[in-house]
């Protein structure tokens, strides 16, 4: 964990302050360049590949030289998360249909995590409370606020949608496209072992789901089904169950 929290916050918000003239030779890199190199490395090889040494190698420099730009790996991860969040694409959250707004919000977060799978695997000890994260939070709260929920429920609803998008992105990234002939092959083979007498529920329900999805599990269906149930739950918290 980065010990200098005020220093990290200043680093995250560096573009919003007037830079003081710097004495000495011109720096070889900028913080932006270092963070971009780390993001490229994480996108290609995952979060575990990100280290001061790994980023330095990508930049053709020494690990020690990077400490004049960022204090440690924890700060670097926070900067990476804030930068990809600031750059994410987001749809129109002004749609008068609240479900359409939140559906778009959920898909925007899904796309963010599909584009940067490492983002869902990091557990930053220091929350990256920079302009990217705060700006995203502000936009997304504005999409939920018209529902009239309490401040705590508004925040929790947003966290629920984002968390579901994050976990679903991992499922979708690992999913294999359903094979149209899968159930035709798997069904009869399983029928020899999964009998109605031994596994009545697994036989009846599993067979129906397998035939529907042509797979044992359909990540895309799970995403759509889960998101709809989350939106139904949010609707139930509004007055008379309607937004």
């Amino acid at each position: 964990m980065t010990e200098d929290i005020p220093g990290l916050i200043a680093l995250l918000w560096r573009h919003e302050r007037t830079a003081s003239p710097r004495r000495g030779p011109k720096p070889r890199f900028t913080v932006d360049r270092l963070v971009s190199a780390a993001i490229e490395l994480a996108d290609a090889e995952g979060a575990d590949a990100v280290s001061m040494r790994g980023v330095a190698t990508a930049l053709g420099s020494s690990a020690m030289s990077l400490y004049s730009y960022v204090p440690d790996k924890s700060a670097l991860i926070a900067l990476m998360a804030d930068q990809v969040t600031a750059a994410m694409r987001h749809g129109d959250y002004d749609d008068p249909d609240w479900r359409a707004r939140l559906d778009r919000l959920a898909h925007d977060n899904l796309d963010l995590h599909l584009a940067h799978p490492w983002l869902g695997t990091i557990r930053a000890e220091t929350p990256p409370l920079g302009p990217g994260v705060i700006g995203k939070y502000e936009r997304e709260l504005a999409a939920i606020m018209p529902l009239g929920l309490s401040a705590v429920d508004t925040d929790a609803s947003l966290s629920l949608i984002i968390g579901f998008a994050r976990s679903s992105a991992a499922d979708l990234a690992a999913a294999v496209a359903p094979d149209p002939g899968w159930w035709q092959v798997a069904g009869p083979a399983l029928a020899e072992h999964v009998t109605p007498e031994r596994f009545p529920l697994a036989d009846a329900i599993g067979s129906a789901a397998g035939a529907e999805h042509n797979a044992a599990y359909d990540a895309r269906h799970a995403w759509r089904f889960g998101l709809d149930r989350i939106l139904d739950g949010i609707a139930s918290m509004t007055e008379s169950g309607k937004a």
Side-chain angles (χ1 to χ4, degrees):
M1 178 176 179
T2 299
E3 295 181 0
D4 182 9
I5 302 300
L8 173 59
I9 291 175
L11 194 57
L12 284 162
W13 294 83
R14 62 193 179 281
H15 294 302
E16 301 200 3
R17 68 178 189 272
T18 303
S20 301
R22 181 168 179 170
R23 296 180 179 179
K26 183 179 180 180
R28 183 179 176 188
F29 308 113
T30 63
V31 173
D32 289 353
R33 178 70 189 97
L34 191 159
V35 174
S36 294
I39 292 170
E40 291 171 8
L41 185 60
D43 285 347
E45 301 181 33
D48 290 342
V50 178
S51 65
M52 300 300 274
R53 183 180 298 278
V55 175
T57 299
L59 291 170
S61 184
S62 67
M64 289 304 298
S65 69
L66 301 191
Y67 288 98
S68 62
Y69 300 90
V70 296
D72 51 37
K73 179 180 174 179
S74 178
L76 178 59
I77 292 292
L79 288 161
M80 292 165 59
D82 197 72
Q83 186 159 307
V84 296
T85 301
M88 73 177 286
R89 299 178 61 181
H90 59 90
D92 179 12
Y93 297 163
D94 294 326
D95 194 311
D97 182 339
W98 73 269
R99 287 188 75 110
R101 287 199 310 274
L102 300 196
D103 191 273
R104 181 67 266 161
L105 187 158
H107 278 85
D108 288 344
N109 279 276
L110 181 71
D111 290 344
L112 173 65
H113 285 279
L114 287 173
H116 305 287
W118 54 270
L119 192 59
T121 66
I122 62 172
R123 293 292 180 266
E125 295 175 348
T126 303
L129 301 180
V133 169
I134 298 298
K136 174 179 181 292
Y137 185 53
E138 181 75 13
R139 287 194 305 272
E140 294 176 341
L141 286 175
I144 300 176
M145 279 297 293
L147 298 183
L149 304 178
S150 70
V152 173
D153 285 348
T154 296
D155 178 81
S157 296
L158 178 56
S159 295
L160 177 61
I161 293 171
I162 293 173
F164 182 62
R166 180 173 58 242
S167 62
S168 295
D171 278 353
L172 287 165
V176 177
D179 178 356
W182 181 87
W183 185 247
Q184 283 69 28
V185 175
L190 281 171
E192 297 181 15
H193 308 282
V194 183
T195 62
E197 295 76 23
R198 186 179 181 187
F199 302 107
L201 296 180
D203 177 70
I205 296 175
S207 296
E212 175 68 22
H213 303 313
N214 283 315
Y217 175 72
D218 185 341
R220 181 61 62 177
H221 177 269
W223 158 252
R224 185 66 263 172
F225 181 87
L227 180 56
D228 285 341
R229 302 295 76 75
I230 288 173
L231 298 182
D232 289 344
I234 292 174
S236 73
M237 295 191 297
T238 64
E239 185 177 358
S240 300
K242 296 182 180 180

